Amino acid sequence: MILAIESSCDDSAISITEIATKKLLFHKKISQEIEHSVYGGVVPELAARLHAEALPKILAECEPYFDKLKAVAVTSSPGLAVTLIEGVTLAKAVAVGLDLPLIGVNHLIGHIYSLFIEKETEFPLTVLLVSGGHTQVMEVTSLTQIQTIAKSMDDSFGESFDKVAKMMGLGYPGGPAIQALAQGGDRLRFNFTIPLLRTPKLAFSYSGLKNAVRLAVEKSQKEDYKDIAASFEHIATKHLTHKLKKYFQLHPPKTFAIVGGASANLYLRGEIQKLLAPYQAKLLLSELQYCSDNAAMIGRVAVDMYKEKMFTSLEELDIVSKSNL
Ligand code: KG4
Ligand code: ZN
């Protein structure tokens, strides 16, 4: 079995995955949404302190599995340095204490593998990753062959939902709150401009849209917020489908996946489904509970890394002390 730890942002999570069957034997996550909500976003130092409390508590519940462990996996990057350190330090302690090899897992590969929890992998795959930290399109051929096709030049898709929600006083995380508010709204009332419409560049940008929404919020009454939320969600999604449509002209999709916390967005899922229909492409989605950060996805990557003997030394797992890796 492999014990896997995730602490790259505001979720403390640990999983136990059986190597031979990929079965998820244990998974527990303690989210910090309530604690960060008053600030309208994640406060890194607060997050680190909460990880330091939560992770040892979850680890104590894993003790019955300790004598069956073959490796310890941990999210090593990208993420907030001060929170990554909490998971990495604990992973090192367990690895040294139980004399086990360490596996450092890339968080983005983790999101891709959220599709394969308790399942076999399915490659090649075109992936849209939409989370709080990232917006990117990737061609994934295997565990180690990942080509980035397009990424955001500024804010991410999920982050833009968080910021718009903050403007409307809806707390953190903003994605679910905006989605709920948008349901009763008029998607066409606020005619926000689709970002990067006139450039052929395959890239994303959400800062301009965020500023346009800020102006609309400032000029509007509370009863207009649902129309602003709906129009914002519509254009934020249209930006993704517009760029993907361009990419598909030369690279028609066969198997397409949406992963990351914001892949839970139902409007986005529906629009991507419409976009894929003419190609008869298969759409893969993670289970809703595994869209946002979790340790099950890290454990699933670790199973494949273990089989390839992709271990990491204690020294290699040092986190560089930058605020955002
Ligand atoms: O993957 P994740 O848990 O953390 C990162 O790795 O960043 O993603 C969290 C992000 C937040 O920005 C949150 O607002 C967004 O995912 N999110 C959503 C929805 N649910 C979560 N965004 C839009 N619609 C949703 N339903
Ligand atoms: Zn994530």
Side-chain angles (χ1 to χ4, degrees), residues 11 46 69 133 144 163 170 190 193 208 210 215 240 253 274 302:
D11 295 293
L46 173 62
L69 294 179
T144 51
K163 289 184 174 165
L170 297 175
F190 288 84
T193 309
K210 173 189 71 186
L215 288 177
L240 293 177
K274 282 188 215 160

Side-chain angles (χ1 to χ4, degrees), residues 107 111 131-133 158-159 161-162 173-176 179 260-262 264-265 292-293:
H107 184 77
H111 276 299
S131 68
E159 189 182 4
F161 278 70
D162 294 332
Q179 171 171 292
N265 187 280
S292 58
D293 291 348

Side-chain angles (χ1 to χ4, degrees), residues 15-83:
S15 67
I16 305 276
T17 310
E18 193 169 54
I19 297 166
T21 61
K22 303 173 185 73
K23 220 170 147 25
L24 183 63
L25 302 174
F26 172 93
H27 182 242
K28 186 155 182 180
K29 160 164 139 172
I30 299 179
S31 297
Q32 310 169 354
E33 290 173 355
I34 296 167
E35 288 86 346
H36 295 292
S37 190
V38 282
Y39 304 102
V42 177
V43 181
E45 284 69 23
L46 173 62
R49 194 168 57 70
L50 293 169
H51 283 307
E53 280 170 25
L55 288 172
K57 275 192 206 152
I58 309 177
L59 184 68
E61 292 184 41
C62 300
E63 264 195 61
Y65 300 99
F66 277 7
D67 59 346
K68 297 184 195 76
L69 294 179
K70 293 281 183 222
V72 181
V74 62
T75 303
S76 53
S77 78
L80 299 167
V82 288
T83 66

Side-chain angles (χ1 to χ4, degrees), residues 245-258:
K245 202 172 173 178
K246 276 237 148 70
Y247 179 62
F248 290 168
Q249 282 168 2
L250 290 178
H251 305 88
K254 288 195 184 73
T255 309
F256 189 83
I258 326 173

